[in-house]
Amino acid sequence: MSSVLWTPAPAAFESSNLARFCLTNGYDPRDYETLHRWSVSDPGAFWRAVWDFCCVIGDPGAISFLRDDQAPMTHSRFFPDASLNLAENLLRGEEGRAVVIEADESGHFRTFTRGELRRLVARTAQGLRASGVARSDSVGGILPNRVEGLVALLATLSIGAVWSSCSPDFGASAIVDRLGQIGVKVLFAASRYRYAGKEHDIADRLAEIVAAMPTVTTLVLTGEPGAKPNCAAACLAFDDFGRDGALAFERVPFDHPAYVLYTSGTTGAPKAIVHRTGGVLLQHLKEHLLHGDVRPGDVMSWYTNTAWMMYHWLISGLACGAAVVLYDGTPILKTADGLDPSPLWTMAQRARVTHFGTSPKYLATLAAEGYAPGRLHDLSSLRSLLSAGAPVSPNQFDWVYEHVKQDMIFASISGGTEIIGCFLLGSPTHAVRRGELTVKGLGLAVSVMDERNAPVIGRQGDLVCTEPFPSMPLTFCGDDGDERYHATYFAARREIWTHGDVAEMTAYGSGIIHGRSDTTLKPGGVRIGTAEIYAVCESFAEIEDCLVFGAPVEGDEEIVLCVKLNDGFGLTPEFAAQIRRAIREGASPRHVPHRIYAVRAVPYTLNGKRVEGAARTTLEGKPVKNMASLANPACLEEYRALDRSKAA
């Protein structure tokens, strides 16, 4: 059976931005491999071509790339003489065009024109300047995904300051662990937010946070009026912050800090990753315009909070002339009759979404609920469905094309907070193959290396990047930031970025992600990924969620599978045998778990990722280093009590 699930129609292929980019630069649109080789062998020419094709506002300078032959990854520089402003590029275009759609779980739906957005940004930027915020200062947010958060971000960037944000559902210590590293001057926050039908008042938490961050001089409260936090900082309502005026943009160097994002922090304090202004813009323009085929008038959505890199990735769609949807709240409502998965799809239908972003877990929930978006909603505008956050199983590819839409691109994409972009992603000129990430990103010398540091195809190894690219981090925050940055990505291979994923390149040029290197299983000393086990488990209607990790035993390692079962199901010996048989047939005998447990919950980070390492550490009786990074730390107590004799 062919693995191809979708191919571009000839007219769509020829009119795609990627095909036009190829022809503009003298390449055959059907010869992606040659285009990709050019993009990594002559990075200066390629990234300058991206700058010109995407009509970046700013001065690129005379030099596009300076290579350091002694340290090509860590010391080479892109556009050393350039000047630009990220917000200026995000806010360009016609004043009257609708560019932001604010929606939430209650059905709220409001549009903002670019002119309205620019006026709000100008006013907030004036407030920042009046509050003493200058170029390179830090501004923070503890905000739901609404327009005030976007306005605060754009206003910060417009004056050359640095933006960093957390979600309001983070605990006080988790927020201080992050924003406390960067010396925030002005903090935007919502003292109340709504999620899953419940109102949450965090005024007391905000007071605790501000008290722990003495650099904060001004607290700006968004949303409905409520109790003001009792803190030493000046406290203002968002509507009273700043005054109307002209919008001005402070142009900064290409490497000027724009965002600070954070790692999950489950192995210690979250690493504060500093991202470059020019790197963010060029990487996102390339990914949206060339790989995503985003066009003026398109509408992009991604279910995300304001802390995840996908929020920053989404809003860069503004620079392509697209509108973006800011969705706040839960994607699935609980009702008296069960789960209601309709909110995001109702929003997509009403907003005429063209590019819909989601996660494998969400898709698995839709499948388990028997929810067919394509049958229940008008998705005629949808051209691309994208998924990130974890590997997408081959079965989910089949489900998407059967139950969402047949004539569209389905792109499983993979990269990370560290590069604020993707190493592997989609393409409008390539076939979509079952279970595979379509192409290596242009400008990224992606490879999979084995233990010999040799590139391999058709075999698992470490995902690496061997040549520099603009969206590499500038540094980590802190006195030893450069050293920690180098130790994280370049310790395994000198001047080669080792990303931390176990991956495989195929003969088609596509890729497969098998899981994180730090959660790789090694039973009998043979390294295997966890993605195959998750994929099999997700095919069982009885299993709501699951977690796989390795447990040390007598000089070896046993595979432990913990399953959270849907209501009405139990982990009987017969069902455990059925799971093992399916894993043996769907993955390999080496993937079969030695122990299977039924659990009440699976631990997740605040950013929504499974935490295999924390479960393993807890099972071993050791302390988890940073419990504040977990969304549900209490569930680990159950893992501490897992008894080998009671395993299925």
Side-chain angles (χ1 to χ4, degrees), residues 18 21 25 27 32 35-53 64-65 78-79 282-283 286-287 290-291 441-444 468-470:
L18 181 53
F21 179 79
N25 291 282
Y27 290 90
Y32 184 83
L35 178 71
H36 187 271
R37 285 194 293 271
W38 167 64
S39 75
V40 297
S41 63
D42 193 351
F46 169 74
W47 289 105
R48 177 55 195 266
V50 171
W51 181 299
D52 293 340
F53 186 82
S64 301
F65 180 64
F78 289 88
F79 299 95
L282 282 192
Q283 181 76 347
K286 180 210 68 179
E287 292 182 349
L290 302 186
H291 288 278
L442 289 171
L444 297 166
F469 52 97

Side-chain angles (χ1 to χ4, degrees), residues 159-354:
I159 65 173
V162 183
W163 174 259
S164 189
S165 55
C166 292
S167 181
D169 58 335
F170 286 17
S173 59
I175 292 172
V176 173
D177 282 350
R178 290 162 171 78
L179 298 182
Q181 296 187 52
I182 65 172
V184 169
K185 271 194 173 182
V186 173
L187 180 64
F188 292 83
S191 61
R192 298 167 59 192
Y193 70 94
R194 183 179 179 86
Y195 186 85
K198 296 180 180 179
E199 294 286 342
H200 300 267
D201 189 321
I202 62 168
D204 291 343
R205 190 187 308 166
L206 291 179
E208 180 183 350
I209 291 165
V210 173
M213 298 196 306
T215 58
V216 176
T217 59
T218 305
L219 176 64
V220 183
L221 296 177
T222 69
E224 297 178 5
K228 285 189 176 182
N230 183 14
C231 61
C235 191
L236 300 170
F238 182 80
D239 290 341
D240 298 328
F241 185 70
R243 55 181 173 78
D244 293 336
L247 179 58
F249 299 102
E250 175 84 11
R251 292 194 177 175
V252 296
F254 190 90
D255 284 349
H256 186 78
Y259 298 140
V260 177
L261 302 182
Y262 305 91
T263 58
S264 297
T266 54
T267 57
K271 300 178 182 70
I273 305 171
V274 184
H275 284 292
R276 315 162 196 254
T277 294
V280 169
L281 181 61
L282 282 192
Q283 181 76 347
H284 289 178
L285 283 173
K286 180 210 68 179
E287 292 182 349
H288 289 329
L289 281 170
L290 302 186
H291 288 278
D293 203 35
V294 175
R295 304 171 187 177
D298 281 349
V299 180
M300 301 174 63
S301 73
W302 201 291
Y303 180 70
T304 178
N305 62 35
T306 56
W308 193 21
M309 64 148 282
M310 296 312 298
Y311 172 79
H312 305 78
W313 191 86
L314 169 69
I315 65 170
S316 288
L318 293 169
C320 306
V324 298
V325 179
L326 307 177
Y327 180 88
D328 183 36
T330 180
I332 298 176
L333 294 169
K334 291 183 178 179
T335 70
D337 299 324
L339 298 181
D340 175 14
S342 68
L344 292 183
W345 299 102
T346 300
M347 173 276 295
Q349 176 177 317
R350 185 173 181 183
R352 308 289 292 171
V353 167
T354 58

Side-chain angles (χ1 to χ4, degrees), residues 16 38 97 321 362 463 473 520 536 584 618 628:
S16 68
W38 167 64
R97 184 183 289 273
Y362 177 71
L463 183 70
T520 298
V536 172
R584 180 183 298 272
T618 302

